[in-house]
Amino acid sequence: MSNLSSSSTGSTGPRGRGRVVGVPTRCWCGEGIVALISKSDPNPCRRYFRCGFAAKNRLRNDDHVFKWVDEALINEIDTLTAKHGEIEKELKELRRERLEFEKMVCEKVEMNMEKELNEKVEEALSQAKRSNKKMMIVVVLGCMIMIGFSKLVG
Ligand SMILES: [Zn+2]
């Protein structure tokens, strides 16, 4: 991947020891970072991050942290965009895996359900047959009793 921030190397200003990528949090000297506004002619009102020690002592041409805020933010955005792309790729991969898994589970469940359904239907059928027989016996017995009664009455 190409370094997009290399396009801004033409800007003036003292360079920190080793370029900081993104928003600096601490200078190499241990001092915290402050955000200031440039009053220089080439960069009027441009905001920058500066080593607190260097800012306090108004150091010039030193190697304490100096970084334009806009450049730092662009760095951050670049990093985030790269990360975002990676996450998106991972998410897609996960989503695909999940879909495959769900499909597998679904097929399995369907298979099981079909089996279970068949078993249940067979069970219900055999039960119905059994109860039908019982019903027939009850009906036949009832008829016989009825006939017996009617004979007795008649
Ligand atoms: Zn410093």
Side-chain angles (χ1 to χ4, degrees):
M1 243 201 284
S2 67
N3 190 1
L4 288 168
S5 62
S6 61
S7 59
S8 53
T9 38
S11 59
T12 51
R15 292 270 159 241
R17 268 191 200 176
R19 299 250 308 135
V20 192
V21 177
V23 175
T25 50
R26 194 157 283 277
C27 182
W28 56 265
C29 69
E31 196 71 33
I33 302 295
V34 289
L36 298 168
I37 294 170
S38 166
K39 292 177 188 85
S40 68
D41 281 342
N43 295 293
C45 298
R46 198 176 178 193
R47 292 175 63 200
Y48 64 96
F49 292 115
R50 188 75 165 115
C51 163
F53 171 79
K56 220 187 299 166
N57 294 285
R58 296 180 178 278
L59 296 184
R60 282 184 178 279
N61 294 320
D62 55 282
D63 53 2
H64 289 265
V65 162
F66 173 93
K67 179 132 190 158
W68 295 114
V69 169
D70 50 321
E71 279 181 11
L73 291 183
I74 285 169
N75 282 167
E76 294 282 323
I77 290 165
D78 282 349
T79 314
L80 280 179
T81 309
K83 265 190 203 153
H84 186 83
E86 270 168 43
I87 288 169
E88 196 129 292
K89 232 170 73 187
E90 266 171 47
L91 261 180
K92 255 185 210 157
E93 192 80 1
L94 272 176
R95 220 170 277 155
R96 198 180 52 79
E97 270 171 31
R98 206 195 66 189
L99 277 177
E100 266 171 29
F101 179 72
E102 270 178 9
K103 219 175 108 189
M104 209 178 73
V105 168
C106 205
E107 275 167 9
K108 228 174 179 177
V109 165
E110 255 172 32
M111 255 161 60
N112 278 348
M113 264 171 56
E114 218 167 294
K115 223 174 96 189
E116 247 172 62
L117 209 73
N118 278 344
E119 275 168 14
K120 278 215 176 107
V121 165
E122 253 162 54
E123 204 184 292
L125 272 176
S126 66
Q127 240 172 26
K129 267 184 208 157
R130 251 182 280 148
S131 60
N132 262 357
K133 262 184 201 161
K134 267 187 212 157
M135 278 285 280
M136 286 289 279
I137 291 162
V138 169
V139 167
V140 168
L141 276 177
C143 281
M144 281 164 83
I145 289 162
M146 289 283 275
I147 291 162
F149 264 123
S150 59
K151 265 189 185 164
L152 274 177
V153 171

